[in-house]
Amino acid sequence: MTDSKTAPALDLAPGSSNTERRAAFWRFVDDYSLILIFIALFAVLSCTVEYFFSWDNVVGLALSVSQIGMVACTMMFCLASRDFDLSVGSTVAFAGVLCAIVSNATGSVTLGIAAALMAGAAIGFVNGAVIAKLKINALITTLATMEIVRGLAFISSQGQAVGVANEAFFSIGSSILFGLPAPVWVTLACFVLFGVLLNKTIYGRNTLAIGGNPDAARLAGVSVDRTRILIFLVQGAVAALAGIILASRMTSGQPNAGEGFELNVISACVLGGVSLMGGRASISGVLVGVLIMGTVQNAMSLMNIDAFYQYLVRGTILLIAVLVDQLKNRRQSR
């Protein structure tokens, strides 16, 4: 799959200036440093942490980041358009609860899934419409919907986990296909789909154009408001899908699920090179960012590192990623 950035060529002509060589070097670093860091990290942990390189652990690692990976694919579009969505964690919880409730009430898992997906899309549509049409800041809008949707999850479930009577629901998160759990395949499909949308479609080009300069994009004929609403609508639907799969894995819809989920997703995207200033995104970078976050978390768990220190490490990784993003923006603005 191609990426939204063109790979640099280090084969410069013999007479190239030092400035050109330095520019080529930095382009190479921007494009490949994250992949090299992940490979080095994975190799070191494989040699130093017991059981890390076992097949069961690698599969478990992939499964543990599957929901984050799904939503990171759509959060990438939000960030690339200069927005973000803090309500995805609440949407994950509400979708799982609603799917369980509707499935029990109708006896149909299919209707439960459909209801949850439509609810997620509706939440995303409201976010996008308020941000695009009413011009309310994305931070305030999604912070408000985060609280509202979380409240709906607790009210509809009466604060309790909602079990599902139909055992077919459990197969969504537990079935195995070609040696890998179904959620991992769904996540891979999301990366392929949204990678194509980013790099090969008008939707992706418009998203990057809006993030780069929304006024210039509007003058160029891009329907900025419609595109932003669509981005949030898709974000909500995919967050609901992640919530359905998570509820299936947990065998119940839980109103407190997904707490802190949005920060993990945003961290993975920023670590993967998606600019907080908009206009720059890479699906391969997001994939590597998700894997780095999951690998660090997995290794710390295997090493029995206290959960308090795990928060410290994740926060430090996010801070470093933001600092690197700022350095890239400053260098590109020169």
Side-chain angles (χ1 to χ4, degrees), residues 93-109 111-113 115-116 156-157 160-166 169-170 243-244 247-248 251-254:
F94 179 63
V97 168
L98 183 62
C99 182
I101 291 174
V102 174
S103 296
N104 289 337
T106 63
S108 171
V109 173
L111 288 178
I113 292 173
S156 59
S157 66
Q160 303 293 323
V162 182
V164 180
N166 193 334
F169 178 71
F170 307 143
I244 294 167
S248 174
T251 69
S252 63
Q254 302 194 14

Side-chain angles (χ1 to χ4, degrees), residues 206-246:
N206 287 350
T207 298
L208 296 174
I210 292 170
N213 190 325
D215 293 330
R218 187 175 286 106
L219 291 173
V222 176
S223 180
V224 174
D225 290 351
R226 185 189 305 169
T227 302
R228 293 175 78 186
I229 292 172
L230 181 59
I231 288 170
F232 277 97
L233 187 151
V234 174
Q235 171 81 89
V238 173
L241 174 62
I244 294 167
I245 294 175
L246 182 62

Side-chain angles (χ1 to χ4, degrees), residues 3 5 26-42 191 267-274 280-293 295-296 317 320-322 324-325 328:
D3 227 343
K5 297 186 291 183
W26 283 113
R27 287 197 301 271
F28 180 83
V29 170
D30 284 346
D31 283 351
Y32 296 108
S33 60
L34 194 63
I35 296 175
L36 295 174
I37 288 172
F38 171 68
I39 293 174
L41 175 65
F42 194 89
F191 274 105
S267 298
C269 288
V270 175
L271 182 60
V274 181
R280 189 177 72 237
S282 164
I283 191 68
S284 62
V286 172
L287 173 59
V288 176
V290 169
L291 290 175
I292 288 178
M293 293 292 292
T295 297
V296 171
I317 291 174
I320 292 173
V322 172
V324 170
D325 177 62
K328 286 182 179 179

Side-chain angles (χ1 to χ4, degrees), residues 36-54:
L36 295 174
I37 288 172
F38 171 68
I39 293 174
L41 175 65
F42 194 89
V44 170
L45 293 176
S46 297
C47 296
T48 58
V49 178
E50 190 175 8
Y51 305 121
F52 178 81
F53 195 57
S54 66

Side-chain angles (χ1 to χ4, degrees), residues 60-70 187 249 290-291 293-295:
L61 168 61
L63 185 60
S64 69
V65 300
S66 57
Q67 278 76 62
I68 292 175
M70 293 175 203
T187 303
R249 291 179 55 198
V290 169
L291 290 175
M293 293 292 292
T295 297

